[in-house]
Every structure is written in C-alpha cells, then in structure tokens.
Amino acid sequence: MSRILEGLNEKQIEAVTHFSGPLLVVAGAGSGKTSALTNRIAYLIEERSVSPWNILAVTFTNKAAKEMKGRIMNLLSSSKDLDSFENYDIDNKVNMPTVGTFHSVCVRILRKNIHNLDFENAFAIYDTADQQIVVKQVMETLNIDPKKLNPKAVLSHISNAKNQLIGPGEYEQFANDNFTQKVADIYPRYQNILERNNALDFDDIIMKTVQLFQNFPKILDFYQEKFKFICVDEYQDTNRAQYILIKLLAEKYQNLCVIGDADQSIYSWRGATIQNILDFEKDYPEMKKVMLEQNYRSTQNILDASNMIIEKNTNRLEKKLWTDKGDGEKIKHWLADNERHEGQMISAEIAKILSDSEFPRYKDFVVLYRTNAQSRVIEEVFIGHGIPYRIIGGMK
C-alpha cells in the first residue's frame, strides 16, 4: 500500500484514489475530510503523475488553506517549512499545487488579467471602512440621511447582490420597497466611484473573476488547461458567485472533487446555499459519491443523539455517523427555568465533580456558550460561589 494511503479507512481510500471525473465526498463531522482532501492531492501527484501545476484546491479561510498546504508538503516531502508558499505565484510552474481561499486565488488571477476589464492590474482592495466612506459619500450626494438609512445595511445588500452576481443595472428590478429602491440608487454610484479609484471591494474579487472568464474565453481556457484537477473544501458553504466560478473552471475536464456536508452549512447569512451540494448530482450526472460516515471525535451515544436530531431536516444528503470508540457516557439533559438557574446548575455540577476528585483542578473545566452576552450571568454565579474563572475571547 502507498504510504499516502496509510492510516485511511476504506471510504477515505475510495475518495483519495478516484482519478478522473466529478467526485462528491459527503463528509460528516469529525470524519477526516481534511485527510481525504490533502491525501487525494498528494496521491494525484505522487501516484498518478499529475503535475502540481495542474491542481487547484480552494477553501474558505487562510487558516484552513495553510493547514492543507502543510499536510500536502508533509505527504510529498519531509519538509515542514511553509515559507515556500508565502509568495507563491499561481502562473509560474512550481513543484506544489495552488492552494488558497477563493478570494486569494481570484486576486492572483485578477492581478494578471483585470486590465481586460478596464482596471489597472495594480488595483486597490477596499476594506469595510473604505466602503463605508464611499457609501456615505454617495448618500450625501443623494441627500440621504445616514441616520435614517444605515450605511452598513446598504453595504450588506450590495454584498449580497454581488454574491449572487447581480450587478448595479440588474439590482433595480429586485427593488420592491423604499429601502431597496434607495440601495438601487446608491449601488451604481458606489460602483462608479470604486472603478474611478481603480478599486475593488471584497465581493468584487470573485464577481470580477467570473466576468473575466465569461467575457474572455481565451483567458478562461488558459485557466481550465492549468487547473485540470480541482478540489473544493466545504462545498456546502459556497454562494452563487463561487459556484459559477468553479463551474466555469471545471467545465472542460470535469475533474472536480467537492467535499462537504449540508448538515454543517454555516454561511447562509452571506449568501451560501446548500442547494449547490444537493444539486451536484444534477450538475454532473456521471459523478461518483463517497460517504465518509466514520467519526473519529465522539462516542456513539453522542453520534446517535446528533443523528436523531439532524435527520429531522428535509433538505439534506442522508448519512449515518458511527464510531468504533464505543458507546461512551450517556448524555445528560438539563432543563433550566432561566439563565440564572442554568448558571446555578453549571456551578453545582462543577462542585460535585470536584468533591469526587482526588486532585480537584478548576482548570480542567470549560463552559461553552453561543454568544458573549450569555457569559454575564454565569460569571455572577461563579463569583457568588467563589469559583475562579477566565474569559476567553471576551471581556469580564
């Protein structure tokens, strides 16, 4: 067995060794999807002699991209030095594949080609503060009071439009109330200022790359030839702009591997749609589907509870997580009367565990909550019971 396949389970090996054609990997939580993705890339290079120059892997965060790069490097060589990626140019042949976020990959494509869209290649990228300045400038010329129309809300609507590839000219047909009509007035003027300043905002980066590919077939053909094998991580969190971008790039060779899980979608608030992963089979009827259902993080009792909850969702790809870690402890279900009662129960449970412990240590406990506002009552209860604590990522 190839060393790249060592330690992988049967389904992971099936995903890693699939060579050509569309591949959908449905990866449940804790099922080793990153291993499947990175080992697949290493397998294509080492075992199937695919040139690293012809491989593209995209994900959503710089942290995830850096981890993927490191894992691939470790699989292909003994080097653990990531410096070779720092100034990586995707238009030069090097001995590593292109790995990055959607936006970082698109920025590099635009730096070479955006002059075709009447921008200079040395364009600026506006951050949120820059965008707000431009929107307020437009609102001032239109005599719109920023106290009555929130510039952040306007930018949010413009962002959502761009994520759906809706330009300033098209947006007006979607304006159906006073607010969206004002956005329709602001959007084209906002875009004109960006263009005069040779600037893009964050959402333009993917939108302009799609426009470039749609308007200049030769440029698209170059990148289709370059990226003959494409891997997309967290496919359930792609929005329409990202979906169209990948569809254009993969259209010629269709060696597209997407990994994701509709049950784990977290970016619907910025236009992501699980329909992209649910419709993958319609887009690519010849696709192969691999289910990663073995979980490496949790015990079976936790997985059974999770399975029973998530199976109530109707819009999903059916799967059943399992583990070889055994049943584990039974899940305790607490019903609190209110947030203060919840804090009291947490405090009592900590005291009970410590009283039964030979070496009691408060640092062995962690309390997780969804929003920072929830910490206030728990802190007050802990102070009342003399329980020392430390807040991570927030203020006392």
Side-chain angles (χ1 to χ4, degrees):
M1 178 184 287
S2 164
R3 64 183 181 84
I4 290 173
L5 304 181
E6 289 176 4
L8 301 180
N9 64 40
E10 182 181 338
K11 288 298 181 179
Q12 286 174 321
I13 291 174
E14 192 177 343
V16 168
T17 56
H18 175 79
F19 181 51
S20 61
L23 172 66
L24 169 62
V25 181
V26 180
S31 62
K33 73 173 179 65
T34 305
S35 294
L37 179 58
T38 54
N39 287 50
R40 171 175 169 75
I41 293 170
Y43 177 86
L44 289 173
I45 295 169
E46 191 161 291
E47 302 295 331
R48 302 307 294 259
S49 300
V50 175
S51 168
W53 195 74
N54 292 134
I55 298 174
L56 168 67
V58 288
T59 187
F60 281 87
T61 66
N62 289 321
K63 181 180 178 182
K66 187 170 183 178
E67 181 182 352
M68 286 168 59
K69 294 170 186 176
R71 288 201 191 192
I72 294 167
M73 286 189 72
N74 289 338
L75 287 165
L76 295 176
S77 70
S78 58
S79 172
K80 295 183 179 179
D81 183 9
L82 297 182
D83 289 344
S84 59
F85 286 104
E86 297 305 316
N87 299 304
Y88 181 53
D89 185 340
I90 66 174
D91 287 312
N92 290 325
K93 290 188 178 182
V94 295
N95 61 355
M96 291 299 298
T98 299
V99 182
T101 64
F102 279 94
H103 290 88
S104 67
V105 170
C106 287
V107 164
R108 293 175 183 191
I109 291 171
L110 292 174
R111 290 289 184 204
K112 298 281 184 181
N113 301 283
I114 201 172
H115 59 273
N116 293 282
L117 297 177
D118 296 327
F119 281 78
E120 294 177 18
N121 288 347
F123 57 85
I125 300 175
Y126 277 9
D127 61 17
T128 304
D130 297 324
Q131 291 174 264
Q132 289 183 24
I133 290 171
V134 175
V135 166
K136 288 176 181 177
Q137 181 181 336
V138 173
M139 290 172 66
E140 187 176 343
T141 62
L142 294 173
N143 295 316
I144 298 173
D145 187 350
K147 293 180 181 178
K148 295 180 179 178
L149 190 73
N150 190 333
K152 289 183 180 179
V154 172
L155 280 170
S156 177
H157 272 252
I158 292 175
S159 173
N160 288 337
K162 290 183 178 184
N163 286 333
Q164 302 301 316
L165 297 179
I166 299 171
E170 303 163 272
Y171 183 85
E172 191 169 4
Q173 62 184 299
F174 297 97
N176 53 14
D177 57 29
N178 184 54
F179 175 80
T180 51
Q181 187 56 61
K182 282 187 168 59
V183 174
D185 293 336
I186 295 168
Y187 187 3
R189 293 169 173 83
Y190 165 82
Q191 203 62 31
N192 285 340
I193 292 175
L194 261 61
E195 291 175 8
R196 286 204 307 269
N197 294 343
N198 195 47
L200 305 181
D201 63 21
F202 193 67
D203 302 298
D204 278 327
I205 291 170
I206 294 177
M207 190 176 185
K208 291 296 182 185
T209 307
V210 170
Q211 289 177 2
L212 185 73
F213 288 163
Q214 290 174 332
N215 296 340
F216 299 92
K218 287 186 178 180
I219 296 175
L220 173 60
D221 184 68
F222 171 83
Y223 285 101
Q224 286 175 335
E225 284 295 327
K226 174 171 173 49
F227 299 132
K228 292 179 181 177
F229 289 84
I230 301 171
C231 298
V232 183
D233 190 22
E234 306 290 9
Y235 191 65
Q236 78 279 353
D237 282 324
T238 51
N239 57 36
R240 177 159 181 79
Q242 292 160 338
Y243 164 79
I244 295 297
L245 174 75
I246 294 300
K247 202 167 190 299
L248 286 167
L249 284 171
E251 194 171 34
K252 190 169 187 177
Y253 291 100
Q254 298 201 358
N255 294 325
L256 173 61
C257 167
V258 302
I259 297 183
D261 177 13
D263 296 336
Q264 298 184 66
S265 180
I266 61 172
Y267 286 126
S268 59
W269 55 273
R270 70 176 188 195
T273 170
I274 59 173
Q275 210 58 45
N276 291 344
I277 193 168
L278 296 176
D279 288 346
F280 190 79
E281 191 168 358
K282 294 179 185 176
D283 290 337
Y284 304 95
E286 303 301 316
M287 69 107 192
K288 177 183 178 65
K289 181 162 71 175
V290 177
M291 307 289 292
L292 300 186
E293 298 173 294
Q294 182 176 356
N295 178 281
Y296 292 96
R297 293 181 189 158
S298 305
T299 56
Q300 195 61 49
N301 280 330
I302 292 174
L303 297 179
D304 287 344
S306 301
N307 286 330
M308 283 190 285
I309 292 170
I310 204 69
E311 70 185 10
K312 306 298 182 186
N313 287 355
T314 54
N315 219 12
R316 63 189 294 262
L317 297 169
E318 187 65 35
K319 66 179 183 305
K320 201 82 170 177
L321 294 178
W322 63 275
T323 184
D324 59 7
K325 290 180 176 292
D327 290 341
E329 293 183 32
K330 289 186 177 180
I331 296 173
K332 295 177 183 178
H333 175 224
W334 289 352
L335 183 61
D337 296 334
N338 51 48
E339 64 270 26
R340 186 160 295 278
H341 185 209
E342 180 183 39
Q344 296 286 358
M345 288 194 297
I346 293 170
S347 177
E349 182 69 9
I350 291 172
K352 178 180 178 298
I353 294 172
L354 287 176
S355 67
D356 295 335
S357 174
E358 185 178 355
F359 302 104
R361 300 188 307 178
Y362 285 109
K363 69 177 184 178
D364 290 337
F365 296 86
V366 60
V367 179
L368 305 177
Y369 42 82
R370 286 186 64 83
T371 63
N372 287 329
Q374 291 177 274
S375 71
R376 175 67 181 265
V377 173
I378 297 172
E379 286 187 83
E380 290 175 352
V381 172
F382 280 6
I383 291 170
H385 287 79
I387 297 176
Y389 65 90
R390 184 161 56 103
I391 298 288
I392 306 296
M395 297 286 288
K396 282 194 175 187

